[in-house]
Amino acid sequence: MKAYTYIDKGYFALLEKPEPRILDPKDAIVKVTLASICTSDLHIKHGSVPRAVPGITVGHEMVGIVTEVGEQVHSVKPGDRVTVNVETYCGECWFCKHGYVNNCQSPDGGWALGCRIDGGQAEYVRVPYADQGLNRIPDSVTDEQALFVGDILATGFWAARISEIKEEDTVLIIGAGPTGICTLLCVMLKHPKHIIVCEKSEERRAFVKEHYPDVIVTTPEECMGCTGAYGAPLGGADVVIEVAGSEESFQLAWQSARPNAIVTVVALYDRPQILPLPDMYGKNLTFKTGGVDGCDCAEILSLIEQGLIDTTPLITHRYSLEEIEEAYRVFESRTEGVIKIAVDCLRPVVI
């Protein structure tokens, strides 16, 4: 089968590999129908993920069809269309039982797919702990509608859930990339008084204005004034969710928050960030940080089925698996108005 593979720092390649097979009775094999490219894949490419193993197939955003299951898999069966959770988790350790699946104590726990074990930018993928890692897609939901459930949409849902948003709140989301938009969709479900999206890219600000006209859009330069105006008389946002992942956005997050606000950080950074505690003194902020705990996928699929979440506008480009090099080039360079890419792992390239 064809599989896009991490060779070494700065180098991925589309290789021929053996199809995966069941290694554990809790495994399932999924024929990948659609995959996508995540910024985390770029972090692997550039050496920012030390845990990533050279030689692994990359990719952790995918949907597909179950082709084979181990004898201890009960939640799905061959022929089921499924989403694949970015988190691999056993469901039995202390962290899993308390809903903190990102911290699963299994050797394959946490972000394993496409990082430490073979992922899904390929024709087939082996999914450990399939009862936890796979969710059946409702018949009325398309593959494109479900494509982001297991990663960036789960991230946005988790961020909104832990941010303790109330209806009288002003919520600031920093970053209107794919994860930022998914976070926006999930924050909208909480119906806060104001939602502000801060984004430096003019194209992405235009995307938010076009698709979500009730959302307030601002730039990093104007963000402090905007949150001050809509958060008045409190002097800033009640909740700030940082999704952009730069040194400037990290500092802007706490600066734009009112005293006693919640600052939720879901961004992945290339380098350590400085928490300037003397400058923050007296703001009494609560910080919530870390990787997504992707245990809400069934609920998210139900919300999609009900028409309450729609991420299909994020898919701006489509490629076959054979064209994945070009897909990466477009996604990494952020050209052609790209937001997210759908990689069709079934469609042959048209010459």
Side-chain angles (χ1 to χ4, degrees):
M1 70 169 188
K2 292 181 174 63
Y4 203 50
T5 304
Y6 172 38
I7 305 299
D8 202 351
K9 182 178 178 179
Y11 182 37
F12 287 178
L14 187 62
L15 304 180
E16 284 288 341
K17 288 184 173 181
E19 292 182 10
R21 56 188 179 86
I22 298 289
L23 300 180
D24 183 275
K26 297 180 180 179
D27 289 350
I29 305 299
V30 175
K31 183 176 181 63
V32 181
T33 53
L34 281 183
S36 191
I37 302 170
C38 180
T39 304
S40 300
D41 298 323
L42 301 180
H43 287 305
I44 290 176
K45 183 177 181 180
H46 297 299
S48 301
V49 184
R51 294 179 300 167
V53 178
I56 59 102
T57 302
V58 294
H60 53 270
E61 291 183 323
M62 71 209 87
V63 295
I65 301 168
V66 177
T67 60
E68 185 181 0
V69 297
E71 60 184 19
Q72 294 182 29
V73 175
H74 306 292
S75 66
V76 295
K77 63 184 185 304
D80 284 346
R81 289 191 310 126
V82 292
T83 61
V84 181
N85 197 319
V86 65
E87 306 290 354
T88 301
Y89 60 102
C90 68
E92 298 173 356
C93 69
W94 185 92
F95 288 104
C96 286
K97 288 180 178 178
H98 287 78
Y100 309 134
V101 301
N102 185 54
N103 306 110
C104 174
Q105 293 176 300
S106 164
D108 285 337
W111 176 26
L113 285 169
C115 179
R116 292 179 282 124
I117 61 176
D118 285 335
Q121 288 172 11
E123 295 179 67
Y124 293 89
V125 63
R126 178 183 70 91
V127 181
Y129 300 117
D131 275 346
Q132 286 73 246
L134 300 178
N135 289 90
R136 198 182 73 79
I137 301 172
D139 293 341
S140 61
V141 174
T142 68
D143 284 1
E144 286 197 353
Q145 287 176 303
L147 180 56
F148 306 129
V149 167
D151 184 22
I152 59 172
L153 193 46
T155 299
F157 195 88
W158 169 80
R161 174 162 58 82
I162 70 169
S163 294
E164 303 177 33
I165 298 166
K166 299 179 289 296
E167 290 190 356
E168 66 268 24
D169 282 349
T170 292
V171 179
L172 169 65
I173 300 167
I174 302 178
T179 307
I181 299 297
C182 286
T183 302
L184 168 62
L185 290 169
C186 297
V187 168
M188 290 169 67
L189 297 173
K190 305 290 186 180
H191 305 291
K193 185 176 182 180
H194 299 296
I195 303 175
I196 303 171
V197 170
C198 175
E199 169 58 49
K200 64 181 181 181
S201 164
E202 183 176 352
E203 277 189 336
R204 291 186 170 181
R205 291 198 303 273
F207 181 90
V208 175
K209 290 177 181 177
E210 176 186 355
H211 292 280
Y212 316 106
D214 294 333
V215 172
I216 303 158
V217 181
T218 189
T219 64
E221 294 76 18
E222 298 173 345
C223 186
M224 293 284 290
C226 187
T227 54
Y230 286 97
L234 303 176
D238 303 283
V239 173
V240 179
I241 306 178
E242 207 297 80
V243 198
S246 70
E247 181 177 344
E248 294 76 16
S249 61
F250 180 80
Q251 298 302 321
L252 185 61
W254 72 263
Q255 292 167 352
S256 301
R258 64 157 171 82
N260 302 285
I262 290 175
V263 179
T264 299
V265 179
V266 296
L268 180 62
Y269 300 95
D270 286 330
R271 57 183 61 88
Q273 300 301 308
I274 295 173
L275 199 64
L277 295 176
D279 297 333
M280 295 177 178
Y281 189 78
K283 289 199 82 169
N284 300 340
L285 299 173
T286 297
F287 276 80
K288 299 191 174 189
T289 70
V292 56
D293 277 302
C295 49
D296 300 306
C297 293
E299 183 176 355
I300 294 169
L301 281 165
S302 176
L303 291 166
I304 293 172
E305 186 179 26
Q306 296 171 57
L308 298 175
I309 296 178
D310 179 17
T311 56
T312 54
L314 276 67
I315 300 174
T316 55
H317 293 67
R318 294 165 177 79
Y319 294 90
S320 69
L321 183 59
E322 289 89 342
E323 299 167 311
I324 197 166
E325 290 279 1
E326 175 65 8
Y328 263 83
R329 185 195 67 79
V330 171
F331 185 73
E332 184 167 9
S333 62
R334 295 188 180 182
T335 57
E336 304 175 18
V338 66
I339 301 290
K340 284 291 282 187
I341 287 172
V343 179
D344 188 336
C345 297
L346 300 178
R347 175 174 64 92
V349 63
V350 178
I351 299 177

